[in-house]
Amino acid sequence: MFDAAILVVGALGSLIVWPRSWWLGFVTAFVVGHFFLFCNVFRVSRPLELIWAMVFLVLARLTEPSGRIGWKTTVLISFATTMAVVGIELRKPSYHGVGWSRVNPGLRQWWEVSRRE
């Protein structure tokens, strides 16, 4: 329920802000979308989430308001970082996100062993 509320508030906030500042509306939607992707779809670990956030914040700061790099570069590098983060998470023996039964069929055995430890 909390995650659904975040999605709704984030989407509304993005729509409200977009006409005044397209980049702020975009950043809001982009970050909220990644929150949903990382927390609910791929169930990414906190350290990997924080790495993605750090990369995005540095890129966003270099883009707005300084203009050193453009939003196109920021988005491309952020998506590449997203792919890397998801790829790392998918290879973990503890992966339990979408498609876990195909991607990580050994999860149940991993869970039993780690629960005993």
Side-chain angles (χ1 to χ4, degrees):
M1 196 59 144
F2 176 74
D3 292 352
I6 293 292
L7 283 174
V8 169
V9 170
L12 289 174
S14 179
L15 290 172
I16 290 168
V17 171
W18 197 292
R20 293 182 192 104
S21 173
W22 74 267
W23 67 268
L24 189 55
F26 168 76
V27 166
T28 302
F30 195 71
V31 170
V32 170
H34 275 80
F35 164 79
F36 179 76
L37 184 73
F38 289 162
C39 293
N40 297 296
V41 178
F42 293 106
R43 312 220 30 177
V44 173
S45 67
R46 184 65 40 93
L48 290 174
E49 283 183 273
L50 292 174
I51 288 169
W52 183 88
M54 181 191 65
V55 168
F56 181 74
L57 285 172
V58 168
L59 291 168
R61 179 64 180 109
L62 291 172
T63 302
E64 199 64 49
S66 71
R68 291 185 190 159
I69 63 175
W71 280 111
K72 186 182 213 178
T73 302
T74 295
V75 169
L76 289 174
I77 294 171
S78 294
F79 274 134
T81 305
T82 300
M83 299 303 288
V85 162
V86 169
I88 291 167
E89 195 65 38
L90 286 170
R91 286 171 178 71
K92 289 181 176 180
S94 60
Y95 177 71
H96 59 287
V98 69
W100 71 266
S101 60
R102 276 186 266 141
V103 174
N104 187 12
L107 178 64
R108 291 185 200 276
Q109 292 84 3
W110 176 86
W111 179 255
E112 289 300 323
V113 169
S114 43
R115 210 170 66 177
R116 282 185 236 142
E117 293 175 358

